Amino acid sequence: MRQQIEHHAHRYYTLDEPEIPDAEYDRLFAELQAIEARHPELVTPDSPTRRVGAAPLAAFASVRHAVPMLSIRTETDTQATGAENFDARVRRELGLAPGDPPVEYVAELKFDGLAMSLRYENGVLVQAATRGDGELGEDVTQNIRTIRQIPLKLPAGAPAVLEVRGEVYMRRDEFDALNERQRQKIAQGAKGEKTFVNPRNAAAGGVRQLDPGIAAQRRLSFFAYGLGEVSPAGQGGPVFETHHQLLMMLKAWGFPVAEQTSVLRGAGELVAFHERMGQVRDQLPYDIDGVVYKVNSIALQRQLGFVTREPRWAVAHKYPAQEQLTTVLGIDVQVGRTGKLTPVAKLAPVFVGGVTVTNATLHNEDEARRKDVRVGDTVVVRRAGDVIPEVVSVVAEKRLADAARFSMPGQCPVCGSAAVREEGEADYRCTGGLFCAAQRKEAILHYAHRRAVEVDGLGDKLVELLVDAHIIRTLPDLYRLGLSSLAGLERMAEKSANNLLEAIEKSKQTTLARFIFGLGIRHVGEATAKALARHFGQLDAIMAAGPEQLLEVDDVGPVVAQSIRTFFDQPHNREVVEQLRACGVTWTEGQAAERAAQPLAGKTLVITGTLPTLSRDQAKDQVEAAGGKVAGSVSKKTDYVVAGAEAGSKLTKALALGVKVIDENQLMELLNGSA
Ligand code: IVH
């Protein structure tokens, strides 16, 4: 049963190719646990159940490594020359002439974790030790047992003593999940909990937990890349001619070996590998900080030997660091196109992730609070791939005594309107939507939308052009446009300029609902705008309405009411509304719903064919403003069918069902209440 479970654990954790469903594995595991509970005398140290459940330690014991754990030379030149110089050195040491064949290497990933030595005696894992100073490490066996990828038992035929060297690391998804759990604990008031700066720190912390239960929760992983003591040396023990053979043997014994591992020849192939891995680096599920080149032939490795504590046959070729220290020069608040306020740390320029970074987002108020970044702080900045740079953490020891806590401003830094954070939302927003320079383009586009005030032809590109050329600043400027101001614009022929001016002129005649929707008040969509127009009938009534009055409108809850109130409380927004009216934007103001019964209240109309003066949308707006509904098809419940020229099947159906058919004139009479 133990063998079976180990087999499936290996398929799942190491090969990523499970043969049985998770539930089946869990069932097997639970059964073994039950058997061992009933028969403690049958428990063995290599049982898969021993991966978790050992008692906490008081301290780690010291371990003397049978074969010292060396480090390798680090090539900090992250360019191609880093690899070329290594190859040149190897060739020189081996006494190779320029015409001699290329040296064969194994290229591996340089995993960003911590080195580990796993000792197996007679095929059973007996000890796991950290590197320590290379001679003396710490015995972390019970924590390492919790790593599912590490075999507790080797297949038959493995050497009597085998030390496997490799890297313990944490996958990025596990790291994110861990930090999320930590944040929740902190939010619930847990003392002494913290989030982790990066996967390597979290992995190292996990390995050094005295309580293996905590180590198990960290869900660590492992890659093998070398050997320590192996015996019986030379007496039937494995003999490897190449490093690559050794890695394949490790794989056969059940250890994870990274699939990117490649046998390469000459400097050119090393450079290409370094570049290729640099490109996929951010897509890997774990962090690497470089690649490692090793001379493949064990005989040549022996010939090259060591300088002090480092082999001459290997080198670590780094990538530009993705994290750096820098100082915070200031904290700005930026306003996005939709009014969202984002705190951004202004940084002393720092080279990180391959570019110079001067800004890092703090996302929102909660994030800024959580990280508690202050002006003058020394911070860790991270930039990975194309992701925007972020402040990972503050170096607490370096904080200046007088550093003030950051808080979000109550006003929009661009236009001075009130900035509010609604309940349940993470972001502050500027409430000066119509006036705020940051939101100009978005506000104009929204106003001109087909379902709002509708300025035909005024789309994305044109708004971009008009605003960037300072031809339009605020909405009312739209109605002050003339041919002369458009003439100079690139890609604007006279005909298109005339079309635009015509569309702008046409937009002046609108409805109250479209106008309200067009203002872009947060939470006021098309349906709410219609409900407001119907209920109040007049713009001034809406602008003056208090929260209680607003709450009487169908569709309007406290959040929406507050949003409408805040919008019209901004003097700048009111000003823009007045200017639009002064520019000639008009609509037929109705009576408030409570005061005058709406002439079409409760009526359903169907509009078909082409009406003489009204467009389909205009007719629909007017019907709705009068309290009526416009349906798409005729039924017995239809009160009127408004028929224009070339009306077809709907008219026929209306006649068949005996539904009343009217024309545009009769519709107007209905709307005026004079029918
Ligand atoms: S080989 C004698 N290979 O980087 C060679 N090390 O100083 C011993 N590392 O302490 C190391 N990935 O923790 C080797 N593929 C890899 C590695 C690797 C990461 C770490 C290891 C070592 C340090 C190099």
Side-chain angles (χ1 to χ4, degrees):
M1 198 162 189
R2 283 177 194 135
Q3 264 169 22
Q4 258 191 59
I5 291 174
E6 279 302 341
H7 169 78
H8 291 303
H10 180 65
R11 303 281 314 185
Y12 183 88
Y13 291 106
T14 306
L15 303 180
D16 267 336
E17 280 168 353
E19 290 170 344
I20 57 170
D22 295 4
E24 178 61 16
Y25 177 83
D26 294 344
R27 198 194 56 74
L28 278 173
F29 196 89
E31 194 178 330
L32 178 61
Q33 272 179 322
I35 296 173
E36 288 181 347
R38 265 181 280 129
H39 300 281
E41 74 279 7
L42 295 182
V43 178
T44 57
D46 64 343
S47 169
T49 60
R50 298 302 101 182
R51 287 189 186 274
V52 284
L57 293 174
F60 296 113
S62 244
V63 173
R64 178 165 295 280
H65 296 297
V67 174
M69 288 182 79
L70 304 175
S71 68
I72 34 180
R73 219 176 67 82
T74 302
E75 178 58 74
T76 46
D77 173 356
T78 62
Q79 304 298 303
T81 40
E84 287 157 4
N85 291 341
F86 169 64
D87 179 59
R89 249 188 337 266
V90 167
R91 294 183 69 88
R92 200 171 53 239
E93 298 287 344
L94 292 175
L96 295 176
D100 290 331
V103 175
E104 198 170 82
Y105 298 100
V106 171
E108 300 172 10
L109 301 178
K110 187 171 189 304
F111 313 106
D112 204 3
L114 67 153
M116 191 63 55
S117 185
L118 308 173
R119 187 176 172 89
Y120 291 82
E121 291 178 4
N122 301 314
V124 176
L125 176 68
V126 292
Q127 191 171 64
T130 62
R131 192 168 94 108
D133 63 4
E135 301 282 345
L136 282 180
E138 283 177 314
D139 183 338
V140 290
T141 313
Q142 51 170 333
N143 291 337
I144 293 309
R145 281 177 180 288
T146 69
I147 302 177
R148 313 284 166 141
Q149 290 181 320
I150 293 180
L152 298 177
K153 198 180 167 90
L154 300 180
V161 172
L162 177 73
E163 282 183 4
V164 173
R165 305 264 163 99
E167 201 86 349
V168 169
Y169 67 94
M170 185 182 281
R171 281 207 324 255
R172 280 199 278 259
D173 56 348
E174 294 294 353
F175 172 72
D176 292 338
L178 169 67
N179 263 355
E180 188 50 42
R181 290 198 299 273
Q182 290 300 106
R183 272 194 282 279
Q184 274 167 18
K185 282 191 208 162
I186 295 166
Q188 284 158 11
K191 290 273 169 291
E193 296 289 352
K194 57 165 192 143
T195 55
F196 297 89
V197 171
N198 56 42
R200 187 168 53 88
N201 287 358
V207 165
R208 302 200 70 265
Q209 285 291 333
L210 290 169
D211 179 355
I214 298 178
Q217 286 167 15
R218 297 277 165 100
R219 298 186 161 277
L220 302 174
S221 303
F222 181 76
F223 275 125
Y225 51 64
L227 292 177
E229 186 185 3
V230 184
S231 75
Q235 312 158 29
V239 182
F240 304 109
E241 280 168 20
T242 64
H243 180 66
H244 190 251
Q245 281 174 4
L246 180 162
L247 292 177
M248 292 307 104
M249 193 72 235
L250 284 171
K251 213 167 156 176
W253 282 329
F255 296 92
V257 174
E259 56 176 302
Q260 287 80 3
T261 308
S262 313
V263 177
L264 305 172
R265 293 157 66 83
E269 293 189 14
L270 296 184
V271 172
F273 182 84
H274 184 259
E275 250 171 47
R276 204 161 62 241
M277 293 305 126
Q279 276 158 13
V280 300
R281 181 184 185 191
D282 297 312
Q283 278 102 60
L284 293 174
Y286 45 83
D287 283 355
I288 60 169
D289 57 347
V291 293
V292 177
Y293 312 129
K294 298 172 182 172
V295 170
N296 195 19
S297 156
I298 305 286
L300 291 185
Q301 286 186 5
R302 276 207 201 93
Q303 200 179 322
L304 285 158
F306 296 82
V307 242
T308 56
R309 320 237 56 215
E310 294 170 350
R312 282 204 194 84
W313 45 265
V315 77
H317 192 192
K318 303 271 272 186
Y319 288 120
Q322 292 182 321
E323 287 183 2
Q324 289 291 355
L325 287 179
T326 188
T327 50
V328 178
L329 305 178
I331 299 176
D332 278 6
V333 174
Q334 292 177 354
V335 188
R337 278 174 72 105
T338 58
K340 177 179 149 184
L341 269 56
T342 307
V344 176
K346 298 275 143 186
L347 307 169
V350 60
F351 192 71
V352 54
V355 300
T356 300
V357 167
T358 54
N359 288 320
T361 178
L362 296 172
H363 300 292
N364 56 45
E365 185 178 48
D366 293 343
E367 275 287 296
R369 283 241 175 99
R370 194 169 67 68
K371 288 179 178 160
D372 190 18
V373 178
R374 305 184 189 190
V375 178
D377 275 352
T378 298
V379 292
V380 178
V381 178
R382 178 176 173 84
R383 180 189 179 270
D386 297 332
V387 179
I388 45 172
E390 61 165 358
V391 171
V392 177
S393 60
V394 173
V395 183
E397 309 85 76
K398 295 208 175 176
R399 170 159 293 165
L400 306 174
D402 57 350
R405 192 176 255 284
F406 168 79
S407 59
M408 288 291 280
Q411 277 97 39
C412 170
V414 172
C415 75
S417 301
V420 298
R421 177 179 174 181
E422 288 174 6
E423 221 183 289
E425 302 234 336
D427 298 310
Y428 272 81
R429 286 178 181 279
C430 166
T431 54
L434 282 187
F435 174 77
C436 183
Q439 300 171 69
R440 230 164 243 169
K441 290 177 185 170
E442 215 48 40
I444 295 169
L445 258 180
H446 179 77
Y447 179 84
H449 191 270
R450 196 174 55 80
R451 310 193 66 103
V453 176
E454 184 169 27
V455 182
D456 196 24
L458 185 59
D460 237 338
K461 298 245 162 53
L462 197 49
V463 168
E464 194 90 25
L465 210 64
L466 291 168
V467 172
D468 289 346
H470 304 294
I471 295 172
I472 296 182
R473 278 176 190 286
T474 64
L475 267 179
D477 292 340
L478 205 56
Y479 294 99
R480 300 179 188 123
L481 277 180
L483 255 192
S484 56
S485 50
L486 293 176
L489 280 179
E490 246 179 275
R491 287 180 306 192
M492 176 67 95
E494 192 173 314
K495 178 143 177 358
S496 354
N498 272 321
N499 286 347
L500 177 63
L501 291 177
E502 214 171 280
I504 292 172
E505 192 55 36
K506 206 171 142 210
S507 75
K508 286 184 183 174
Q509 184 62 48
T510 186
T511 65
L512 179 54
R514 282 172 172 269
F515 186 76
I516 294 167
F517 178 49
L519 295 178
I521 304 167
R522 193 160 161 76
H523 302 305
V524 177
E526 208 180 350
T528 308
K530 281 181 182 168
L532 285 165
R534 211 179 307 130
H535 185 94
F536 288 99
Q538 291 164 349
L539 182 61
D540 289 329
I542 301 174
M543 288 172 67
E548 304 79 42
Q549 289 164 286
L550 288 167
L551 281 171
E552 287 170 16
V553 181
D554 292 344
D555 243 22
V556 173
V559 172
V560 182
Q562 187 52 53
S563 172
I564 297 168
R565 221 29 281 147
T566 313
F567 182 89
F568 286 118
D569 283 344
Q570 307 306 309
H572 293 312
N573 287 340
R574 301 179 80 95
E575 165 96 25
V576 171
V577 169
E578 287 326 315
Q579 285 183 26
L580 285 171
R581 285 207 270 204
C583 287
V585 178
T586 68
W587 53 88
T588 325
E589 296 237 11
Q591 296 291 304
E594 302 97 329
R595 277 173 275 158
Q598 291 182 295
L600 289 181
K603 303 285 186 216
T604 301
L605 288 80
V606 171
I607 304 168
T608 178
T610 311
L611 302 181
T613 67
L614 293 174
S615 75
R616 188 73 64 83
D617 273 352
Q618 284 169 329
K620 182 170 183 246
D621 287 340
Q622 301 222 14
V623 168
E624 286 174 348
K629 269 210 183 79
V630 175
S633 61
V634 181
S635 74
K636 269 186 272 180
K637 290 192 190 133
T638 311
D639 293 289
Y640 299 100
V641 168
V642 186
E646 279 160 62
S649 62
K650 290 180 190 172
L651 177 58
T652 322
K653 188 160 183 199
L655 294 170
L657 292 174
V659 174
K660 189 157 188 197
V661 177
I662 59 174
D663 63 10
E664 189 186 279
N665 270 330
Q666 290 167 297
L667 172 65
M668 295 315 276
E669 284 168 13
L670 281 177
L671 289 171
N672 295 332
S674 60

